[in-house]
Amino acid sequence: MAYSFPEEVLEHVFLFLSSDRDRNTFSLVCKSWYQIERWCHRRIFVGNCYAVSPEIVIRRFSELRLVEIKGKPHFADFNLVPEGWGGHIYPWIVAMSEAYPFLEEIKLKRMVVTDESLELISKSFKNFKALVLSSCEGFTTDGLASIAANCRLVIAKMKFPFQLLRIGRFPKWKVFWDVVPAYLPAMYSVCSGITSLNLSYATTQNSDLVKLVLDYIEDIGLEALATSCKDLQELRVFLSDPFGVEANVSLTEQGLVSISEGCPKLHSVLCFYRQITNAALIAIAKNQPNFIIFRLCIIEPRAPDYLTLEPLDTSFGAIMENCTQLRCLSLNGLLTNRVFKYIGTHAKKLEMLSIAFAGDSDLGLHHVLSGCGSLRKLEIRDCPFGDEALLANAAKLETMRSLWMSTCSISFGACKMLARKMQRLNIEVIDDRGPPESRPENCPVERVYIYCTVADRRVDMPDFVWTMDEEDSSSLRYS
């Protein structure tokens, strides 16, 4: 069967495969199908720049046009990854400049991008069209000037320090560098078509718009959105003064309940609140069963339902039970192991989970690792999760992209045992206090970052990162 169709026909069939998993299955049928998939593959996503090497990617795919790479872990956005940890793009650019002269687009997130890297990009790819830098660092206007001077058709997008406004009736992103009064009339005619609104980092020169950007929108503003923006799909609400002793605006859970009632297409929420109730979250779960992304951050760690003082287990359990398509979840507050049992039981499609200041014991982590079959990324901070659950579910880690744990109860001894048990994993101990082996093995490490890799161990480790040696996991490899 593998040889029953001409290669031109198989190449045409391959173009209809949109899933990476389907393409991979296609390539495993036989050698000729593998080669066809290799020639036809035009884009690749690398979720961790250390999970694979540029050389392996180049051997596997010979005709790429779009490359998307992520560097630092997500918790770098919250200053939990030390400065100088890594995530350098330059080795990738050097390799790709020789292998992919017709590369058209590069998307980078949380990576160190130097001016030298940008200059090399500008001079290496003759058909280069787009560069997207999201939460990247290390470059100056000199590097951007190289892109502007040498890439005539390039579209450059940077998602920090400004954000993007997406309007439904227009096919492309609309970008506001500065939100000045003169620009606002352009928005009025399309307000009813807004699908995603996030101006949280835009430079604002209009007092009225300031009230919309952050929590100055208040409950009355969210209620107006619920009434007017029926096509709203994504909502982000940030606190204007998150560390203030008292709230300076009237923003409560009722505004979010109104949005869930009035915007039937809403599927993504990222909200920061000072307090929340079980009743509100249960109502939101019932109103919006189609949530794909639900990220809720309560500023006060381990905050209960502020009316009943009960844990938030029941309400987050309702999110799990009702929102069966959920892919991404962030949660904190007063949460016991019960909520993690809900997650392990019901969140079968969950791919990314972020947990902070929650749980009672290892049992909570065990529920998640043993129950969430689709889980790809797990991020944990300040939770009482330790060695037992991690080692008992070691096999699960090889099916995931990464696990980050900081200020938990993972010991250096457990990291060594895990390295012996699962040799495909790269286990990074990140500790500013010095070599972990200088302390008892049962002493918890500050941070541990675990990921599956097909590349050699990274060689650019700073002096506060240690990994187990490939050949002898009882020893450490230093930078």
Side-chain angles (χ1 to χ4, degrees):
M1 178 180 175
Y3 300 96
S4 60
F5 298 104
E7 288 186 354
E8 293 79 4
V9 174
L10 291 175
E11 288 180 11
H12 185 72
V13 170
F14 177 76
L15 295 176
F16 290 93
L17 299 178
S18 58
S19 165
D20 289 336
R21 183 172 298 178
D22 290 342
R23 290 175 177 177
N24 187 59
T25 302
F26 181 103
S27 70
L28 297 176
V29 172
C30 62
K31 289 184 178 179
S32 63
W33 285 34
Y34 175 93
Q35 290 297 332
I36 291 171
E37 194 267 347
R38 178 175 183 267
W39 297 329
C40 295
H41 213 104
R42 292 294 183 266
R43 56 179 61 205
I44 188 173
F45 168 73
V46 179
N48 177 354
C49 64
Y50 294 117
V52 65
S53 68
E55 293 74 23
I56 292 176
V57 171
I58 291 168
R59 284 200 305 268
R60 180 66 180 86
F61 305 112
S62 59
E63 301 292 336
L64 293 181
R65 297 293 184 269
L66 186 155
V67 175
E68 182 175 358
I69 307 175
K70 290 185 178 182
K72 297 180 182 180
H74 174 247
F75 271 180
D77 292 345
F78 303 93
N79 297 320
L80 294 180
V81 179
E83 186 73 23
W85 171 81
H88 301 276
I89 191 57
Y90 186 73
W92 284 85
I93 301 301
V94 170
M96 292 190 299
S97 65
E98 299 177 359
Y100 303 130
F102 297 102
L103 192 67
E104 298 176 355
E105 187 170 353
I106 297 176
K107 298 181 178 181
L108 306 176
K109 189 169 187 178
R110 300 189 198 96
M111 298 206 73
V112 178
V113 183
T114 62
D115 288 344
E116 187 180 10
S117 301
L118 293 177
E119 184 177 5
L120 186 57
I121 290 174
S122 72
K123 295 180 178 180
S124 299
F125 309 115
K126 58 184 69 177
N127 294 331
F128 198 65
K129 298 178 181 178
L131 174 66
V132 178
L133 304 177
S134 180
S135 299
C136 292
E137 60 181 284
F139 60 93
T140 69
T141 53
D142 291 341
L144 297 177
S146 297
I147 295 290
N150 298 313
C151 303
R152 295 182 178 180
L153 299 178
V154 74
I155 298 174
K157 299 179 182 179
M158 290 173 289
K159 296 186 180 180
F160 183 86
F162 63 89
Q163 293 292 328
L164 305 175
L165 175 68
R166 188 177 186 180
I167 300 176
R169 66 178 65 181
F170 293 102
K172 295 183 180 293
W173 290 96
K174 304 300 173 185
V175 180
F176 288 88
W177 287 82
D178 297 289
V179 184
V180 298
Y183 298 166
L184 297 184
M187 297 173 56
Y188 296 156
S189 62
V190 295
C191 281
S192 62
I194 286 178
T195 60
S196 178
L197 181 62
N198 180 11
L199 296 173
S200 55
Y201 293 98
T203 302
T204 308
Q205 300 179 23
N206 182 280
S207 59
D208 292 331
L209 192 62
V210 168
K211 297 177 182 179
L212 179 63
V213 173
L214 297 170
D215 56 357
Y216 291 108
I217 190 172
E218 299 189 335
D219 288 343
I220 190 172
L222 290 177
E223 290 168 3
L225 279 176
T227 301
S228 305
C229 302
K230 297 300 181 180
D231 290 332
L232 189 70
Q233 298 175 26
E234 179 181 0
L235 175 69
R236 299 188 178 196
V237 178
F238 297 84
L239 298 179
S240 56
D241 185 16
F243 303 108
V245 177
E246 295 183 359
N248 58 343
V249 295
S250 177
L251 179 70
T252 71
E253 67 278 3
Q254 186 54 49
L256 191 55
V257 172
S258 298
I259 288 287
S260 71
E261 292 173 344
C263 302
K265 297 182 181 180
L266 187 69
H267 62 74
S268 176
V269 164
L270 168 58
C271 291
F272 290 74
Y273 275 85
R274 294 181 180 277
Q275 55 190 15
I276 201 79
T277 65
N278 279 311
L281 286 175
I282 291 172
I284 291 167
K286 291 180 179 179
N287 292 335
Q288 287 293 343
N290 296 321
F291 271 131
I292 297 175
I293 299 173
F294 189 82
R295 300 170 65 186
L296 179 66
C297 178
I298 304 172
I299 297 300
E300 183 67 27
R302 300 183 176 88
D305 179 319
Y306 72 93
L307 294 180
T308 66
L309 302 183
E310 294 180 351
L312 299 173
D313 299 333
T314 303
S315 53
F316 276 106
I319 297 287
M320 298 300 102
E321 292 177 344
N322 288 276
C323 306
T324 57
Q325 302 302 311
L326 202 64
R327 300 289 195 277
C328 177
L329 173 67
S330 297
L331 73 166
N332 70 327
L334 183 59
L335 297 166
T336 72
N337 285 344
R338 184 183 177 194
V339 74
F340 299 113
K341 186 174 182 180
Y342 280 122
I343 293 173
T345 302
H346 298 288
K348 298 305 179 183
K349 294 186 178 181
L350 192 67
E351 297 177 1
M352 185 274 185
L353 176 61
S354 182
I355 307 167
F357 304 99
D360 302 318
S361 66
D362 267 7
L363 184 59
L365 179 58
H366 175 74
H367 285 315
V368 171
L369 290 176
S370 62
C372 299
S374 301
L375 193 63
R376 299 282 291 153
K377 287 179 62 179
L378 178 58
E379 303 166 342
I380 305 170
R381 62 164 298 186
D382 296 273
C383 295
F385 302 151
D387 299 346
E388 185 176 349
L390 184 68
L391 295 174
N393 295 277
K396 171 63 179 176
L397 300 178
E398 284 198 341
T399 70
M400 295 169 53
R401 185 193 301 172
S402 64
L403 166 65
W404 170 278
M405 300 182 73
S406 58
T407 321
C408 295
S409 300
I410 301 299
S411 70
F412 178 56
C415 294
K416 292 169 64 174
M417 291 177 63
L418 186 62
R420 297 188 193 105
K421 191 174 184 179
M422 312 300 293
Q423 296 188 9
R424 288 184 58 208
L425 296 177
N426 193 25
I427 303 167
E428 294 190 7
V429 173
I430 306 171
D431 204 316
D432 295 320
R433 299 170 299 179
E437 61 183 6
S438 65
R439 296 179 292 277
E441 287 200 351
N442 62 354
C443 181
V445 297
E446 288 185 340
R447 311 170 188 89
V448 61
Y449 183 42
I450 302 171
Y451 54 91
C452 200
T453 180
V454 295
D456 292 334
R457 303 297 198 228
R458 53 181 288 206
V459 296
D460 62 346
M461 292 183 298
D463 57 9
F464 52 80
V465 176
W466 293 267
T467 63
M468 308 302 156
D469 190 273
E470 286 181 298
E471 299 178 356
D472 182 7
S473 59
S474 65
S475 63
L476 293 174
R477 196 170 76 173
Y478 300 84
S479 60

